[in-house]
Amino acid sequence: MLDVNFEIISAEVAAYSVLPTLIFKMRIANESEEEQIHNVNLKCQIMLSVTKRRYTAGEKSRLLDLFGTPERWGETLRAFLWTHVTTVVPRFSGSTVVDLPVPCSYDFEVVSTKYFNALEDGEIPLTFLFSGTIFYAGATGNVQIAQISWSKEATYRLPVALWKEAIASSFPNSAWIRLPKDVFDQLYQYKIAHGLPTWEAAFVRLLRASSEEVQP
């Protein structure tokens, strides 16, 4: 009887990728090794199980924007969605190992990016929730269709260093922020008016001016 299980066995940074991407190595095993699976249209929802790790004082201060002060974490610290991904698993019988590519956003408007960036070290507890459609050979050789049970899931502890490596491969020593067009236009005019050669110079000048204003 068709019964497919999933296991995440490792992760690595995708080489030569245009955008930062992690590749999760996933083992898929069918309880019945004789059944021929033609392909699997696989959907995966990846959750950040944030309650399953400890946080340093520095991490807690950087997570204030997401979860509030630590004394409120009993109410606010909850697992949340990282991303959805899909892939097509080719023909196999018994078991197979396939790649599950997961793009990593560096947009700081995205909650998961804020969370990843706040972490110093250690591991990120992930939960993979699977769904989708399996096409397999029936007893008479004809193609049968089955749905993946909603109970199918896998866990993996992703090293924080690996996420940072993926980001650094595409955005070395840099970060991205998104601004409304009217705010960008004001900053652009400020940069031109003050003859500043780079955006970094414009932001440094603004930060210094702000710091001087708050000095007693």
Side-chain angles (χ1 to χ4, degrees):
M1 181 178 179
L2 189 71
D3 184 15
V4 175
N5 295 296
F6 302 87
E7 178 188 11
I8 306 298
I9 57 178
S10 65
E12 61 187 36
V13 177
Y16 313 114
S17 177
V18 175
L19 296 175
T21 302
L22 290 171
I23 303 294
F24 290 91
K25 298 291 183 179
M26 178 174 58
R27 178 180 288 116
I28 306 175
N30 185 10
E31 290 292 335
S32 175
E33 296 187 0
E34 293 77 20
E35 284 178 321
Q36 182 72 46
I37 294 180
H38 295 299
N39 64 66
V40 182
N41 292 336
L42 186 65
K43 301 176 183 179
C44 181
Q45 177 177 300
I46 308 177
M47 304 295 294
L48 297 171
S49 303
V50 298
T51 60
K52 296 181 179 180
R53 62 158 284 161
R54 296 181 181 276
Y55 299 90
T56 67
E59 290 171 339
K60 289 178 180 178
S61 66
R62 289 188 291 273
L63 290 169
L64 187 67
D65 185 33
L66 293 181
F67 306 123
T69 55
E71 57 266 22
R72 296 184 56 226
W73 280 22
E75 301 174 358
T76 62
L77 200 65
R78 296 287 185 272
F80 63 92
L81 177 68
W82 175 14
T83 189
H84 290 94
V85 291
T86 61
T87 192
V88 176
V89 179
R91 181 188 300 268
F92 74 95
S93 58
S95 65
T96 186
V97 175
V98 297
D99 290 347
L100 184 65
V102 178
C104 300
S105 171
Y106 205 32
D107 183 352
F108 279 88
E109 296 296 316
V110 178
V111 173
S112 59
T113 301
K114 293 181 181 180
Y115 176 76
F116 289 137
N117 189 68
L119 303 181
E120 298 169 352
D121 206 346
E123 297 173 331
I124 305 166
L126 304 177
T127 301
F128 295 73
L129 307 175
F130 299 102
S131 62
T133 306
I134 303 173
F135 298 87
Y136 67 103
T140 60
N142 56 326
V143 176
Q144 301 289 309
I145 300 175
Q147 297 299 312
I148 297 172
S149 169
W150 285 96
S151 65
K152 298 299 182 181
E153 62 181 56
T155 60
Y156 186 73
R157 300 187 71 89
L158 174 70
V160 173
L162 201 61
W163 182 86
K164 291 183 177 181
E165 181 185 339
I167 295 299
S169 67
S170 296
F171 308 116
N173 195 33
S174 60
W176 291 93
I177 57 174
R178 183 170 55 187
L179 297 173
K181 184 61 166 57
D182 58 334
V183 176
F184 170 81
D185 289 340
Q186 293 177 62
L187 284 170
Y188 189 43
Q189 288 302 316
Y190 178 88
K191 178 175 177 289
I192 294 173
H194 290 83
L196 301 172
T198 64
W199 286 109
E200 179 182 356
F203 281 111
V204 169
R205 184 185 179 103
L206 285 168
L207 288 169
R208 286 176 178 171
S210 175
S211 178
E212 290 170 0
E213 288 177 2
V214 299
Q215 293 296 325

